[in-house]
Amino acid sequence: MHMTLMANMTWYEFNERKDKDVVILPVGSVEQHGPHLPLFTDTIISEGFANLLGDKVNGIVMPSINYGYKSQPASGGGPLFPGTIDLNGTTLINLVKDIIEELIRDGVRKIALVNSHFENQAFLLEAIDLVSKNMPANTKIIMMSWWDLITQNTIDKIFDEIEFPGWALEHAAITETSLILKFKPELVHMDKLIDEKIEEVPTYQVYPIPKDLVPKSGLLSIGRTSSAAKGELIVDEALSKMVEIVNKEFM
Amino acid sequence: MHMTLMANMTWYEFNERKDKDVVILPVGSVEQHGPHLPLFTDTIISEGFANLLGDKVNGIVMPSINYGYKSQPASGGGPLFPGTIDLNGTTLINLVKDIIEELIRDGVRKIALVNSHFENQAFLLEAIDLVSKNMPANTKIIMMSWWDLITQNTIDKIFDEIEFPGWALEHAAITETSLILKFKPELVHMDKLIDEKIEEVPTYQVYPIPKDLVPKSGLLSIGRTSSAAKGELIVDEALSKMVEIVNKEFM
Amino acid sequence: MHMTLMANMTWYEFNERKDKDVVILPVGSVEQHGPHLPLFTDTIISEGFANLLGDKVNGIVMPSINYGYKSQPASGGGPLFPGTIDLNGTTLINLVKDIIEELIRDGVRKIALVNSHFENQAFLLEAIDLVSKNMPANTKIIMMSWWDLITQNTIDKIFDEIEFPGWALEHAAITETSLILKFKPELVHMDKLIDEKIEEVPTYQVYPIPKDLVPKSGLLSIGRTSSAAKGELIVDEALSKMVEIVNKEFM
Amino acid sequence: MHMTLMANMTWYEFNERKDKDVVILPVGSVEQHGPHLPLFTDTIISEGFANLLGDKVNGIVMPSINYGYKSQPASGGGPLFPGTIDLNGTTLINLVKDIIEELIRDGVRKIALVNSHFENQAFLLEAIDLVSKNMPANTKIIMMSWWDLITQNTIDKIFDEIEFPGWALEHAAITETSLILKFKPELVHMDKLIDEKIEEVPTYQVYPIPKDLVPKSGLLSIGRTSSAAKGELIVDEALSKMVEIVNKEFM
Amino acid sequence: MHMTLMANMTWYEFNERKDKDVVILPVGSVEQHGPHLPLFTDTIISEGFANLLGDKVNGIVMPSINYGYKSQPASGGGPLFPGTIDLNGTTLINLVKDIIEELIRDGVRKIALVNSHFENQAFLLEAIDLVSKNMPANTKIIMMSWWDLITQNTIDKIFDEIEFPGWALEHAAITETSLILKFKPELVHMDKLIDEKIEEVPTYQVYPIPKDLVPKSGLLSIGRTSSAAKGELIVDEALSKMVEIVNKEFM
Amino acid sequence: MHMTLMANMTWYEFNERKDKDVVILPVGSVEQHGPHLPLFTDTIISEGFANLLGDKVNGIVMPSINYGYKSQPASGGGPLFPGTIDLNGTTLINLVKDIIEELIRDGVRKIALVNSHFENQAFLLEAIDLVSKNMPANTKIIMMSWWDLITQNTIDKIFDEIEFPGWALEHAAITETSLILKFKPELVHMDKLIDEKIEEVPTYQVYPIPKDLVPKSGLLSIGRTSSAAKGELIVDEALSKMVEIVNKEFM
């Protein structure tokens, strides 16, 4: 059996590879994704990419960070949806910091975070920054979010009918729906998908968060025209970029 | 499809059940478990029990807390084994506290933690205690560790040949090996298992942790005589107790 | 003298107005802004907007938060430039939280943050979110960043010659240079401005931050064609939007 | 006067010995111990052992940490008893960490904690672990809890009439009562001792902690048959082990 | 036996009195006090006052907080003297906060801190302030430091020969030496006392703290002319003021 | 233009001087200062001194820390006055720590804090102490508060008519009023000044803070006889001392 998952390895198996192979940490969230996608959408996507990447670069994929930072209305629907489980910023920072520091203490020097939850970004980088202030000289840590790797060309193909609303608003919409159709089709309820979207994208933030800021369904953009084929398009491009990045930075 | 996993639910599905059903949070670890068991042994066991329990009591099983508190030499081999990923105490406390507080904000009032990592216990209880100081009156949180639910009678059956070394030392030994043989047999390498154990159980703690405190393999007790049948024995008893407890406390 | 600045008020003067007037908190940073702009560029802009807004809505402008969150390479040049003074995330969160909680304890119920440092956003919102979990029911807090208020029409006018690189990259470039030319022209050294920009926008993050990620000058985009007139254009549009927002939310 | 107590030393006296002598830190608690034992039972026991140990190994005994971690129902009666003063976990961790780090900065390299409060254990070890990550190479820290040093043979002698309930439940019962009869007999009210014990030892934890989990008196096990002689038996054995350990680790 | 010490009480005894009697918490330090006074000088003084006060007002005296905030050069000699054990500010804040909050949860409503370590003051008040933001309406917390209660008249009597150097510099000098001569004369080595004092009182602070800022002995002011009689003078006045204060605030 | 303000410098300008020039950080507060002085009194004074000092020693003056530690009744009127914005102790510690650590990372080795808010002192020193535990060997940090630099001779001149009440009580009184008359006369409302003072200086602390502890106006001492000339006297003396100190410590 070719080994990718750290979860399944014995410590002997991990020990043999830890000094030379890149270790990949998927980071997700538990967050509402409309009436048709599972709460674990982000983690499924992070794990999906991490596993494929691990296969390609002979990497070791760690167990995911299953819970992420607070959902924001204009990128995830916000905290008011039941089932959205939000960590405080400091908690996520410390969680990621502890895990990376343990890897480094174990001798790992090549670390790649794969993120798929928009709101995680600032806090993951804060954790990495704090670690990096005291890490051994030959250590390198990278963070990749799949949407940053998609070219305009691919965007044009995916948004063939619906206009691209920008990445922040692509929540539970065409790209994420297509990715779950690719990674875990059995969890997508296309029959529940409706044509709702955020009517007026807020240009500022208000607290307490107004209840009518986003549609009742939690959908921020139109998800119609999603397909496994589009998911594959995204996976193909993002994955090949990830492989390129890992090769460039770690090989 | 009967729904147990919160990960797979849409927020609509979670929303309908959150007020009445018990929500189950499995807590595990990434920790060395000798030459024959996977690093994810504890999480596999927690998830295994949580899923079975969820089925029995119509509960909702949350995504696991994948990383746990620091492994101790005399109950987990300690931090020196590569692949053991240890969270700081305060990090684990805050992680669990945030997740439970989010459940409560969502309206959940019945929360059950299923733990299988010995060293997690004090820190999980600290998190629950902190939450409980400010929670709504009708909220209840319980924590169960499977070994606390096993009777002497069952212990006698399992330790038919090898003497029971006490629960702390039952690390990567008969009970955990049997449980993985039951839950994920494909991850057990019985051919790698050797007859090693901690020779002298320390009666005090020393830091820096001496490298020769535990056997090189990380095994603390003899694992021979493990079997899926014994795993089933443990699962049967612990699960029926868990069902009883949940029924008593929440119904 | 019409009173806008809390700094200059006696407590009697503040006391009379605190219950009814909106209190405005400018948040800036101390960060490299190329060879031609001052380190205090962001704070100057926040204060500039806050003072104008205060005049328009009869608001009270607090002393600024002078230091902000860590500069990122692709939106501020990053931490390697001397003179960039970066707060840790948790520090900024607690600083903003303490200040807002004190306002609320004093009886203030209308609070508006004016931000002009890209990297502050996630941490300011975390602070506000934490406060909002326990604040009196009639309290409202808003946060505005000027760039979110600029329409495509205005962008087209400002980027008449140079192509708009996106807001994150608009660091020490046309919009910020024009704003300082408007607010504090004596601090702009147009003769030092050179035609440098980030050559390849990174699509992922690497730590330790590579020294050659951004140009030596710290410029991320072309600043040529900046002018006080363009600054005025931005101020006019953003300010009128801010007034609208404050009126809508607080009046 | 032979000097054991750091409290009574001048800094000159401490200074002369700090580099070569072991420094002993007693850790206790303020916790209910039934109707017949003082709230300071644990601290009295820790100080009792520390003073005797200090005499034997020419050690320096520090002032005690008087307050400990939260009492748990099944090992101390829990937090509901007035007079039980519980520190939060993070507070105790930082307190112990600060004190040990100060010793190390002063040049001390041999540090021994003597603990007698069951619930302290995990948090003391967390503090030591955090210190040990950055301490000078020739520093060693040990922690001893007296019950870990008692042999089955002695247990058999002490539990001549009453059955040994296990260490966790030995709260305010035979061993602790005997120890206070040995260390501070004037503080024991044997006339107030009643024959109560926890009827059903909980096999899981519930929050809020049920009021009827432990007997009203706070007694967890039968204390009858306690005696100063039994206290002496425990002291003799534990002390000789402590001396052995200190000699082995530090000499 | 008249009961003053909480340490010696059973929880039954504490329980009966907790609602009506004032609870007194002595706070001290472990700090160099020259060649003639013990490291525990401050705690001895706090306990001395607390016990006398407890007797007079029928109060309950808690076990002391034995360790205090960082010694400063110009009020305690500073951190460079071996035997001075300094807590970080946040640690002391949380320690005091936890203890007071536990008292309040137990039903105590009258709390008095007795402090004798100059440097503790700001951090004790911070702890009390944090508690006071959320405490029941009928709770009151006071803090007394003995030197604040001494009148000019008494100062004149004590400084009959030596000039009063101000309270901050009265470290290990006439007042503290006299107090220990009163409370624990057997711990004073008057033969070791020398006539040293800080030559130039610093008018600003420097870090790293210069080694020659204070005399090698750690004495900041002249201690000659100390006597148990002067100690009694101080005790009499401060104690009668403390009784007055407690009566005024709590009765 | 001679450059003193870091705020106005480009990073190139800061970069050229950071290794050799002293960097000055003014620390103030937002706090009630009676009916005649602005809320920003302390920051105005700190900036006033810092700018003058910067000119004299060719120093670099950083943007101020605008918010300070909690006002105390007997030195600032306390937290009950609207407009007094109090930071928690830990927040101020971390804020100052972060800023100084960033300076050190940038290569700065000469750092001077100029403080004018009495209550800040303990927390600024805590921040500096924490930094100093890990800073490069050739780094030096000093902290100066202007009142510590005033001689008795000058005090006698300033308190020609009114008796000197001690520095803690000199809040919004003669010295601060004179300083603002010197630094920002347009912000002083001498016509609003009344002859109020704290009647009985508290000799202990009570929480909740009694509302009648200080006069309604917030004045602690008599401010009559304040003048710009007296302000100049203070500035002259304190400034010449500051120059002396900086020269002694850094040149």
Side-chain angles (χ1 to χ4, degrees), chain F residues 232-250:
Chain F
E232 195 147 342
L233 215 67
I234 297 169
V235 169
D236 284 354
E237 177 156 75
L239 182 62
S240 80
K241 292 277 181 55
M242 287 180 183
V243 171
E244 232 175 77
I245 291 166
V246 167
N247 282 331
K248 182 183 160 207
E249 297 293 345
F250 293 121

Side-chain angles (χ1 to χ4, degrees), chain F residues 52-217:
Chain F
L52 291 171
L53 177 62
D55 281 345
K56 294 275 188 190
V57 301
N58 199 32
I60 298 169
V61 178
M62 300 186 82
S64 294
I65 293 185
N66 285 336
Y67 295 88
Y69 182 67
K70 295 169 187 174
S71 179
Q72 296 295 322
S75 54
L80 301 178
F81 289 87
T84 292
I85 303 295
D86 293 330
L87 298 188
N88 286 316
T90 304
T91 302
L92 183 59
I93 292 168
N94 288 330
L95 175 60
V96 175
K97 182 165 174 278
D98 280 10
I99 292 172
I100 301 181
E101 286 183 344
E102 276 287 282
L103 287 178
I104 292 173
R105 255 191 295 270
D106 275 358
V108 175
R109 292 295 174 265
K110 304 170 181 175
I111 300 167
L113 277 72
V114 172
N115 176 45
S116 60
H117 179 52
F118 202 82
E119 291 87 341
N120 278 343
Q121 297 176 95
F123 299 91
L124 298 182
L125 292 179
E126 172 70 352
I128 300 173
D129 179 78
L130 292 173
V131 172
S132 75
K133 293 221 158 75
N134 284 303
M135 68 188 183
N138 58 340
T139 312
K140 199 183 271 187
I141 308 170
I142 67 171
M143 183 181 93
M144 301 175 289
S145 299
W146 62 265
W147 52 82
D148 287 334
L149 307 173
I150 302 302
T151 56
Q152 188 60 44
N153 188 26
T154 303
I155 291 176
D156 291 345
K157 283 184 200 153
I158 292 163
F159 295 89
D160 48 355
E161 186 177 332
I162 312 290
E163 198 189 0
F164 178 53
W167 287 116
L169 289 181
E170 260 298 295
H171 180 80
I174 297 176
T175 52
E176 291 192 328
T177 306
S178 298
L179 282 167
I180 302 298
L181 282 170
K182 161 77 179 151
F183 285 130
K184 295 239 178 177
E186 71 277 16
L187 296 179
V188 185
H189 308 274
M190 285 305 284
D191 55 315
K192 299 282 174 65
L193 177 58
I194 53 176
D195 245 31
E196 264 190 343
K197 62 170 185 167
I198 194 167
E199 280 315 314
E200 206 172 338
V201 184
T203 56
Y204 59 98
Q205 287 76 34
V206 190
Y207 285 80
I209 295 175
K211 298 203 177 185
D212 55 357
L213 209 57
V214 296
K216 280 233 160 89
S217 64

Side-chain angles (χ1 to χ4, degrees), chain A residues 34-227:
Chain A
H36 67 303
L37 290 182
L39 289 164
F40 222 32
T41 289
D42 290 345
T43 314
I44 291 166
I45 294 173
S46 283
E47 285 187 359
F49 275 113
N51 292 348
L52 291 171
L53 177 62
D55 280 346
K56 293 277 188 188
V57 301
N58 198 32
I60 298 169
V61 178
M62 300 187 82
S64 295
I65 293 187
N66 285 336
Y67 296 88
Y69 182 67
K70 295 169 186 173
S71 179
Q72 297 296 322
S75 53
L80 301 179
F81 289 88
T84 292
I85 304 294
D86 293 330
L87 297 188
N88 286 316
T90 305
T91 302
L92 183 59
I93 292 168
N94 288 329
L95 176 60
V96 175
K97 183 166 173 278
D98 280 10
I99 292 171
I100 300 180
E101 285 183 345
E102 277 286 283
L103 287 178
I104 292 174
R105 257 191 293 270
D106 275 359
V108 175
R109 293 293 174 267
K110 303 169 182 176
I111 301 167
L113 276 71
V114 172
N115 175 45
S116 59
H117 179 52
F118 201 83
E119 290 88 339
N120 278 343
Q121 297 176 97
F123 299 91
L124 297 182
L125 291 179
E126 171 70 352
I128 299 172
D129 179 78
L130 292 173
V131 172
S132 75
K133 293 222 156 77
N134 284 302
M135 69 188 182
N138 59 339
T139 312
K140 199 182 270 187
I141 308 170
I142 67 172
M143 184 180 93
M144 301 175 288
S145 299
W146 62 265
W147 52 82
D148 288 333
L149 309 173
I150 301 303
T151 56
Q152 187 59 46
N153 189 26
T154 303
I155 292 176
D156 292 344
K157 283 185 199 152
I158 292 163
F159 295 89
D160 48 355
E161 186 177 332
I162 312 291
E163 198 189 0
F164 178 54
W167 286 116
L169 289 181
E170 260 299 294
H171 180 79
I174 296 177
T175 52
E176 291 192 326
T177 305
S178 298
L179 282 167
I180 302 298
L181 282 170
K182 161 76 179 151
F183 285 129
K184 294 238 178 181
E186 71 277 16
L187 297 179
V188 185
H189 308 275
M190 285 305 284
D191 54 315
K192 299 281 174 64
L193 177 57
I194 54 176
D195 246 32
E196 264 188 344
K197 61 171 186 166
I198 194 167
E199 280 314 315
E200 206 172 338
V201 183
T203 56
Y204 59 99
Q205 288 76 33
V206 190
Y207 285 79
I209 295 174
K211 297 201 179 187
D212 55 356
L213 210 57
V214 297
K216 280 234 161 87
S217 63
L219 294 168
L220 301 188
S221 300
I222 299 299
R224 192 164 27 91
T225 83
S226 304
S227 70

Side-chain angles (χ1 to χ4, degrees), chain E:
Chain E
M1 181 170 53
H2 176 74
M3 266 293 175
T4 302
L5 299 182
M6 182 182 180
N8 293 350
M9 295 177 187
T10 66
W11 78 264
Y12 285 78
E13 289 162 338
F14 177 77
N15 190 38
E16 266 170 41
R17 295 174 54 190
K18 72 182 169 55
D19 293 331
K20 56 179 194 298
D21 294 339
V22 61
V23 173
I24 301 165
L25 175 60
V27 192
S29 78
V30 176
E31 188 191 29
Q32 78 84 13
H33 276 77
H36 68 303
L37 290 182
L39 289 164
F40 222 32
T41 289
D42 289 347
T43 315
I44 291 167
I45 295 173
S46 283
E47 286 186 359
F49 275 113
N51 291 349
L52 290 171
L53 177 62
D55 280 346
K56 294 276 187 188
V57 300
N58 198 31
I60 297 170
V61 178
M62 300 187 81
S64 295
I65 293 186
N66 285 337
Y67 296 88
Y69 182 67
K70 295 170 187 172
S71 180
Q72 296 294 322
S75 54
L80 301 179
F81 290 87
T84 292
I85 303 295
D86 292 330
L87 297 188
N88 286 317
T90 305
T91 302
L92 182 59
I93 292 167
N94 288 329
L95 176 60
V96 175
K97 183 166 173 279
D98 280 10
I99 292 172
I100 300 180
E101 286 182 345
E102 276 287 281
L103 288 177
I104 292 173
R105 256 191 294 268
D106 275 358
V108 175
R109 293 294 175 266
K110 302 169 182 175
I111 300 168
L113 276 72
V114 173
N115 176 45
S116 59
H117 179 52
F118 201 82
E119 292 86 339
N120 278 343
Q121 296 176 97
F123 299 91
L124 297 182
L125 291 178
E126 172 70 352
I128 300 172
D129 179 78
L130 292 173
V131 173
S132 75
K133 294 223 157 74
N134 285 301
M135 68 188 182
N138 59 339
T139 311
K140 200 183 270 186
I141 308 170
I142 66 171
M143 185 182 93
M144 300 175 289
S145 300
W146 61 266
W147 53 81
D148 287 335
L149 308 173
I150 301 302
T151 56
Q152 188 58 45
N153 188 26
T154 302
I155 291 176
D156 292 345
K157 283 186 200 152
I158 290 162
F159 295 89
D160 47 357
E161 187 177 330
I162 312 291
E163 198 189 1
F164 177 55
W167 286 117
L169 290 181
E170 260 298 294
H171 180 80
I174 297 176
T175 52
E176 290 192 328
T177 305
S178 298
L179 282 166
I180 302 298
L181 282 170
K182 161 75 179 152
F183 285 130
K184 294 240 178 179
E186 70 277 15
L187 295 180
V188 185
H189 308 276
M190 285 305 284
D191 55 315
K192 299 282 174 64
L193 177 58
I194 54 176
D195 245 32
E196 264 188 345
K197 61 171 186 167
I198 195 167
E199 281 313 316
E200 206 172 340
V201 185
T203 56
Y204 60 99
Q205 288 75 34
V206 190
Y207 284 79
I209 294 175
K211 298 201 177 185
D212 56 356
L213 209 58
V214 296
K216 281 233 159 88
S217 63
L219 294 168
L220 300 188
S221 299
I222 301 298
R224 194 165 25 91
T225 82
S226 305
S227 71
K230 287 186 177 177
E232 196 147 343
L233 215 66
I234 297 169
V235 168
D236 283 354
E237 177 155 74
L239 181 62
S240 80
K241 291 278 181 53
M242 287 181 182
V243 172
E244 230 175 79
I245 291 166
V246 166
N247 282 332
K248 183 183 159 207
E249 297 293 345
F250 293 120
M251 305 301 161

